[in-house]
Amino acid sequence: MSRVWTAILLAGAGTYAMRASFIVAARRLATVPPWADRILRQIPPAALAALIVPSLVRIDGELDLWQPRLAIGVLAGLVAWRTRNVAVTLVVGIAGLMALEAIV
């Protein structure tokens, strides 16, 4: 077996072991303090916002607060806030973006 394949297999095994260790540790930490639970519940929305907001305000690498995508993003955010329904939010956001791109 070549050195490259050995390195690939070792890297894969290391990656698998690192990910599996978190799953094993999570089972042992099934009861977390309430303050940690509150913090952990904020991670998915924060990560989602970190992924979405730059695509709404930084088109072509430039900060642009007066662009149509941002308006559709705000509309989708309002729909999500009022309905708390992911499917409705996605439909409104995609339909709004498609309509806006058809117009502009």
Side-chain angles (χ1 to χ4, degrees):
M1 184 179 295
S2 69
R3 288 183 180 179
V4 173
W5 281 107
T6 303
I8 290 172
L9 290 175
L10 287 175
T15 301
Y16 181 79
M18 191 169 17
R19 292 180 183 197
S21 67
F22 285 113
I23 294 172
V24 171
R27 288 187 179 168
R28 292 184 181 191
L29 298 172
T31 58
V32 294
W35 61 269
D37 189 46
R38 282 194 309 265
I39 292 172
L40 290 174
R41 277 190 269 144
Q42 302 303 318
I43 291 174
L48 188 61
L51 291 172
I52 292 174
V53 170
S55 68
L56 294 178
V57 297
R58 294 189 63 102
I59 302 297
D60 298 329
E62 298 291 327
L63 182 64
D64 185 9
L65 297 177
W66 300 107
Q67 60 175 313
R69 285 180 122 193
L70 182 59
I72 298 301
V74 170
L75 174 67
L78 289 173
V79 169
W81 174 56
R82 295 295 294 170
T83 64
R84 296 188 182 272
N85 188 328
V86 175
V88 172
T89 303
L90 286 173
V91 168
V92 169
I94 291 171
L97 186 60
M98 290 175 67
L100 191 66
E101 287 183 355
I103 294 170
V104 176

